[in-house]
Amino acid sequence: MNKILNKSLKFNNGLEIPQIGLGTYELVDEAETLASVKAALNAGYKHIDTASIYQNHKIIAQAIKESGVDRQSLFITSKVWNSHNKYELAKQAINDILKELEIEYIDLLLIHWPTEYKLECWKALEEAVDQGKVRSIGVSNFQVHHLKELLENCRIKPVINQIELHPALQNLEVVNFCRENDILVESWGTMIRGKCFEVEEIKTLAKKYKKSEAQICLRWGLQLGYIIIPKSSKPNRVIDNIQIEDFELTSEDMKLLATIKNGRVGPDPDNFDF
Ligand SMILES: NC(=O)c1ccc[n+]([C@@H]2O[C@H](COP(=O)([O-])OP(=O)(O)OC[C@H]3O[C@@H](n4cnc5c(N)ncnc54)[C@H](OP(=O)(O)O)[C@@H]3O)[C@@H](O)[C@H]2O)c1
């Protein structure tokens, strides 16, 4: 088994998260999702990232059951969608997630995007921690000003911020703020949502190390201490993507990757129509 699948990072609440997980955005087709999640679990992945809006909780529950792995050995993240950030709706969303995933507790629950109701949603998340429904709570797509607002108004501090982060969007302002405030940083879109194969600088390093462009991006994220959650609907890619233990990018390689300027592939949190 791949040893890096057992590597975990510690949250500010003392709990841990496996540094590598399986992303599941756009995994909705039943057969494809079952194949991808089961391939990951059989390969030793311990961490699955999903969200209410992905509409795949039930298929993931089925894949976990069919794979025969012990739920206690897994780390499951889900997210409350924008339409459910008002307090009562957020509480309902949390109960729905537990039911759909057929689990007693959620390891990590995030506010998916910083809507105007994010503080109400946070209160519902805090109460879910008190009730044992959720172990750790965090945010996603929060800019520095969103984080500052939350930190000034929370009872439980967020453990993580999951943001778009890849060689073409290094987002250091948010990363540095999170680090200064003991909030872990999780990268989504680490492989630039598949566009990494078109970027010259990444292609150069792929040739140098005889690795795929996807593996170069994931190694980049791992070396920077980010949590990474690569997604693929193809079982062979789910396994290949994380064969990244046997090489190390040099500081020159990292500098080269930092020169890529293609920018965001997802929505800008400051200009997103919630
Ligand atoms: N919090 C948020 O707002 C947010 C937003 C987006 C994503 N996420 C989470 O982060 C995860 C990762 O982000 P992402 O899915 O957007 O992007 P990603 O993991 O960077 O890239 C996924 C894309 O790359 C392709 N791909 C994967 N491995 C490949 C390989 N070896 N060769 C060629 N193509 C490959 C996949 O296609 P195939 O499936 O065809 O292999 C898919 O189109 C998501 O799945 C989700 O869990 C969170």
Side-chain angles (χ1 to χ4, degrees):
M1 196 219 285
N2 195 325
K3 274 189 284 174
I4 47 171
L5 290 172
N6 287 327
K7 180 158 189 242
S8 291
L9 301 179
K10 198 172 254 191
F11 288 143
N12 60 35
N13 64 7
L15 298 176
E16 293 189 347
I17 178 169
Q19 192 176 4
I20 297 181
L22 177 73
T24 66
Y25 176 56
E26 287 179 329
L27 277 181
V28 275
D29 175 80
E30 188 170 332
E32 210 171 60
T33 307
L34 277 176
S36 169
V37 176
K38 283 164 81 174
L41 296 176
N42 289 337
Y45 278 66
K46 302 274 179 237
H47 167 185
I48 298 172
D49 182 89
T50 179
S52 295
I53 195 71
Y54 303 168
Q55 299 191 341
N56 57 18
H57 286 151
K58 289 183 181 168
I59 313 175
I60 290 172
Q62 190 185 337
I64 293 171
K65 245 188 269 168
E66 288 180 13
S67 74
V69 297
D70 179 10
R71 184 271 174 268
Q72 307 291 331
S73 69
L74 296 179
F75 186 100
I76 303 175
T77 302
S78 192
K79 314 180 192 89
V80 178
W81 184 241
N82 307 341
S83 56
H84 286 65
N85 279 189
K86 284 190 175 172
Y87 177 69
E88 289 298 336
L89 290 173
K91 287 204 298 189
Q92 183 57 50
I94 295 165
N95 289 335
D96 289 346
I97 293 171
L98 287 165
K99 206 159 136 198
E100 289 166 7
L101 281 166
E102 298 179 48
I103 52 179
E104 302 287 314
Y105 64 91
I106 304 161
D107 294 273
L108 174 64
L109 187 61
L110 310 179
I111 300 181
H112 208 142
W113 287 88
T115 73
E116 62 180 305
Y117 301 111
K118 57 188 171 305
L119 296 181
E120 284 189 36
C121 187
W122 191 255
K123 189 167 172 262
L125 264 56
E126 288 177 326
E127 288 174 8
V129 173
D130 298 339
Q131 294 159 356
K133 293 179 178 177
V134 179
R135 296 250 161 112
S136 298
I137 53 178
V139 295
S140 177
N141 300 303
F142 272 44
Q143 303 282 58
V144 169
H145 65 98
H146 301 122
L147 289 167
K148 282 185 178 164
E149 188 185 348
L150 180 59
L151 289 173
E152 281 162 16
N153 291 284
C154 66
R155 179 163 61 78
I156 303 178
K157 202 174 150 172
V159 296
I160 204 164
N161 189 13
Q162 184 185 114
I163 54 175
E164 181 183 343
L165 203 54
H166 44 70
L169 184 74
Q170 307 236 353
N171 218 337
L172 285 180
E173 193 197 349
V174 178
V175 168
N176 290 337
F177 183 85
C178 288
R179 293 205 157 139
E180 284 156 18
N181 287 279
D182 201 11
I183 296 168
L184 290 186
V185 178
E186 180 166 24
S187 153
W188 66 255
T190 323
M191 301 179 288
I192 325 183
R193 289 190 152 164
K195 289 203 173 73
C196 58
F197 293 88
E198 300 157 20
V199 180
E200 284 310 319
E201 292 84 346
I202 302 175
K203 281 168 57 172
T204 301
L205 295 180
K207 251 191 221 131
K208 175 176 170 185
Y209 292 102
K210 298 191 174 52
K211 287 283 173 183
S212 73
E213 285 76 359
Q215 289 166 329
I216 296 295
C217 290
L218 295 169
R219 180 74 210 183
W220 167 90
L222 201 70
Q223 281 185 217
L224 288 174
Y226 302 146
I227 290 127
I228 54 173
I229 43 173
K231 173 260 174 183
S232 180
S233 55
K234 322 263 183 311
N236 62 319
R237 292 180 178 172
V238 166
I239 293 160
D240 285 352
N241 285 345
I242 54 147
Q243 306 308 316
I244 53 177
E245 269 189 305
D246 55 351
F247 74 108
E248 189 166 2
L249 298 168
T250 65
S251 57
E252 289 307 312
D253 298 333
M254 296 300 261
K255 275 186 206 148
L256 176 67
L257 292 175
T259 63
I260 302 169
K261 289 198 174 53
N262 295 339
R264 285 187 191 281
V265 287
D268 179 343
D270 280 326
N271 289 297
F272 184 38
D273 184 3
F274 299 118

